[in-house]
Amino acid sequence: MKKNDAAMVCLSGGQDSTTCLFWAKKQFKHVEATCFNYGQKHSLETEVAKRIASEANVPFHLLDVSLISQLDSNCSLTNSSIPMDEEKPENSYPNTFVPGRNMIFLTFAAILARSKNIFNLVAGVSEADFSGYPDCRDTFIRSLNVTLNLAMDEQFVIHTPLMNKDKSEVWELADQLNVFDLIKGQTLTCYNGILANGCGHCPACKLRKAGLEKYLARKQKQFQ
Ligand code: ZN
């Protein structure tokens, strides 16, 4: 296998990373998926990711980085006693932000990928539908890419195919990749841990639903 033929996808089982998994399958001959247990309240996430990887017929790795949740107990995704911010507070991040999460995920994914001679990493981050998370920004991803290369003296490439896409465009990409139904019916985006269309009222569900409606309206217009 040539160095450029393989990719490691960070897969959470949500809409974005699942779209990235199928994007990667189109781009690379060999694809593997890594999922993380970071102490999230909803363990269903990792089961969903495993099921999707199996459906996509790619090797699946589950890494335990639950130490993150022990270091910071102020996050509502890992601490069930904290009510979740429904809106972004002024001048700060919503408490669904897990500090350092994407840095840890990509760093661990890179270490695992390197051991398998894989140097393409894929992450479903986006700064267009901005939830306010600093580790979803392109600047951070580029910076970490340089750091990983320096840290391991390798030439990793971090791919972020969704970076400039809003949610409606992520749905559009899923449709182009022929996985619209799979993503609509089998992914878990909801902060309350409910599959597919989710609870309907958490910020992640609202964003997903608004994006879907926007995409379907655009698609309908094209056929008129
Ligand atoms: Zn929800």
Side-chain angles (χ1 to χ4, degrees):
M1 194 168 61
K2 287 185 198 154
K3 273 194 169 184
N4 295 333
D5 286 351
M8 181 69 80
V9 179
C10 290
L11 181 70
S12 71
Q15 177 190 357
D16 295 346
S17 65
T18 303
T19 305
C20 284
L21 178 69
F22 286 94
W23 173 87
K25 278 185 63 99
K26 276 261 157 78
Q27 308 288 325
F28 302 98
K29 279 190 187 149
H30 178 80
V31 173
E32 302 196 12
T34 304
C35 177
F36 297 90
N37 170 17
Y38 62 94
Q40 60 268 60
K41 286 186 290 193
H42 307 293
S43 57
L44 181 63
E45 266 186 44
T46 55
E47 286 167 38
V48 168
K50 190 176 178 183
R51 204 156 61 212
I52 289 167
S54 152
E55 192 117 345
N57 202 21
V58 302
F60 177 78
H61 312 279
L62 180 61
L63 302 185
D64 184 5
V65 292
S66 53
L67 177 64
I68 299 181
S69 63
Q70 293 166 35
L71 299 174
D72 185 345
S73 58
N74 301 312
C75 173
S76 62
L77 294 191
T78 52
N79 186 344
S80 43
S81 64
I82 298 180
M84 189 198 323
D85 282 339
E86 298 261 330
E87 305 288 337
K88 184 180 182 302
E90 226 175 295
N91 302 325
S92 70
Y93 298 110
N95 62 16
T96 47
F97 174 50
V98 185
R101 182 171 59 172
N102 285 345
M103 184 174 70
I104 298 291
F105 284 8
L106 280 162
T107 304
F108 277 60
I111 297 167
L112 178 66
R114 184 183 175 278
S115 78
K116 296 167 175 296
N117 209 30
I118 296 174
F119 296 93
N120 292 289
L121 307 173
V122 184
V125 292
S126 162
E127 63 179 18
D129 250 343
F130 195 42
S131 315
Y133 303 154
D135 57 354
C136 290
R137 292 178 193 146
D138 195 45
T139 316
F140 159 70
I141 296 293
R142 285 167 193 262
S143 160
L144 182 64
N145 201 150
V146 171
T147 299
L148 290 174
N149 290 346
L150 290 172
M152 292 181 243
D153 196 14
E154 298 288 0
Q155 290 297 314
F156 289 101
V157 179
I158 305 179
H159 302 264
T160 54
L162 312 184
M163 184 54 80
N164 297 307
K165 293 190 187 302
D166 68 14
K167 272 284 185 286
S168 77
E169 292 166 322
V170 179
W171 281 111
E172 187 173 350
L173 178 60
D175 212 359
Q176 287 163 359
L177 294 166
N178 290 320
V179 288
F180 180 87
D181 289 337
L182 182 149
I183 286 177
K184 191 166 182 299
Q186 295 189 38
T187 57
L188 174 65
T189 303
C190 175
Y191 285 151
N192 289 312
I194 301 168
L195 200 69
N197 294 332
C199 73
H201 58 79
C202 77
C205 280
K206 282 185 194 162
L207 202 61
R208 174 173 164 140
K209 185 167 179 268
L212 180 60
E213 285 168 358
K214 190 174 162 191
Y215 169 58
L216 292 176
R218 198 161 66 225
K219 193 179 175 184
Q220 202 172 23
K221 245 184 188 171
Q222 281 170 358
F223 286 104
Q224 272 173 359

